[in-house]
Amino acid sequence: MELVYPPVILACKTLFRVLDLKLDVQGAEHIPASGGAVLACTHVSYLDFIFCGLAGLPVNRKTRFMAKQEIFANRIAGPLMRGMHHIPVDRDAGQASYQQAVTALRAGEVVGVFPEATISQSFTVKGIKTGAVRMAAEAGVPVIPMTVWGSQRLWTKGHPKNLTQRHVPILIRAGEPFYPTPQDDQDALTQDLRARMTALLDQAQRDYPDTPQAADDPWWLPAHLGGTAPTPEEAAARDVR
């Protein structure tokens, strides 16, 4: 029985209405109404898991996200994360987290992952890890590429959070599923996944209805679109530091 997830969803939807966020979800039909699936999403904000999870709600799917262990150790967030059956990722024991995710997928759960591992400060898709493709292949389930765009304006790495900002458009896109198998070249499929995620993000950026106001620093736009976000190379150097 789901005791924690439904009230959390209700609280989030209430906040979205209060802030009058302009939620635009497309591609939700690609998420299966039953059976396991991996949602592989781009990562530009600390709030992406909330918006990514919205895509499954039209077919009554609740996504179990893989998230770093430190969140589960938090006295407030931890009980909520465990109550929603999210999956802790201990970077010192990554195989155990991977196997927990595979078990959930085989049990018919939708598992959400951020293959870039950390937030992209360049607002482009970084290099991604093979875990999403490998776990889908092992569990025999599809991978669904996804992107969220606009959430970085509310709360992202290197900028103060602004959870009172109103009328912000949030674009959520799910792409067509593909089905890795254990016989496939996992590295090649991972590069294919990255290309799919990049195409979704590029399209969301083109579709985005807002532009920075003349008086505003266009910090939330990537450099290749005229913004002041660091280039991918500069962002990689920041990550190392």
Side-chain angles (χ1 to χ4, degrees):
M1 181 179 293
E2 297 279 359
L3 297 178
V4 177
Y5 223 138
V8 169
I9 292 171
L10 179 60
C12 289
K13 287 184 173 181
T14 299
L15 178 62
F16 299 159
R17 285 195 294 270
V18 169
L19 296 179
D20 192 30
L21 298 184
K22 306 301 184 182
L23 300 176
D24 179 0
V25 181
Q26 294 184 19
E29 68 275 8
H30 295 309
I31 298 175
S34 63
V38 175
L39 305 186
C41 192
T42 58
H43 203 9
V44 296
S45 164
Y46 292 111
L47 304 174
D48 288 337
F49 72 98
I50 297 175
F51 296 115
C52 178
L54 290 179
L57 296 185
V59 288
N60 198 31
R61 303 308 303 273
K62 296 177 177 63
T63 304
R64 317 303 176 179
F65 284 95
M66 300 186 75
K68 60 185 181 180
Q69 177 67 43
E70 290 84 348
I71 300 176
F72 289 80
N74 182 279
R75 64 185 181 87
I76 297 175
L80 293 175
M81 296 293 282
R82 287 186 289 273
M84 290 184 282
H85 307 295
H86 295 314
I87 301 169
V89 177
D90 184 345
R91 289 174 180 167
D92 294 327
Q95 187 62 26
S97 303
Y98 173 88
Q99 289 301 331
Q100 186 177 347
V102 170
T103 298
L105 290 167
R106 286 174 171 162
E109 297 282 8
V110 175
V111 173
V113 300
F114 297 101
E116 297 165 273
T118 57
I119 288 174
S120 171
Q121 298 184 71
S122 67
F123 305 137
T124 62
V125 183
K126 303 194 301 184
I128 68 173
K129 300 183 181 297
T130 61
V133 166
R134 288 190 295 112
M135 67 175 64
E138 187 171 339
V141 302
V143 176
I144 300 167
M146 289 194 62
T147 195
V148 175
W149 183 247
S151 55
Q152 76 277 17
R153 297 174 63 185
L154 301 175
W155 191 12
T156 192
K157 191 172 185 178
H159 295 273
K161 61 183 173 183
N162 186 357
L163 300 181
T164 60
Q165 189 173 183
R166 292 172 54 80
H167 317 305
V168 174
I170 307 292
L171 274 54
I172 303 157
R173 301 288 187 264
E176 293 186 2
F178 65 100
Y179 295 79
T181 71
Q183 291 73 40
D184 291 326
D185 183 331
Q186 307 298 305
D187 290 327
L189 275 186
T190 297
Q191 291 310 308
D192 178 54
L193 172 59
R194 182 175 184 269
R196 292 168 184 253
M197 293 166 64
T198 297
L200 286 171
L201 178 60
D202 288 346
Q203 186 62 55
Q205 290 170 340
R206 287 192 292 270
D207 292 345
Y208 199 67
D210 272 10
T211 56
Q213 299 302 308
D216 292 342
D217 173 14
W219 63 267
W220 52 269
L221 283 180
H224 72 274
L225 292 180
T228 56
T231 65
E233 295 75 19
E234 291 167 342
R238 289 187 185 185
D239 287 342
V240 170
R241 291 198 297 269

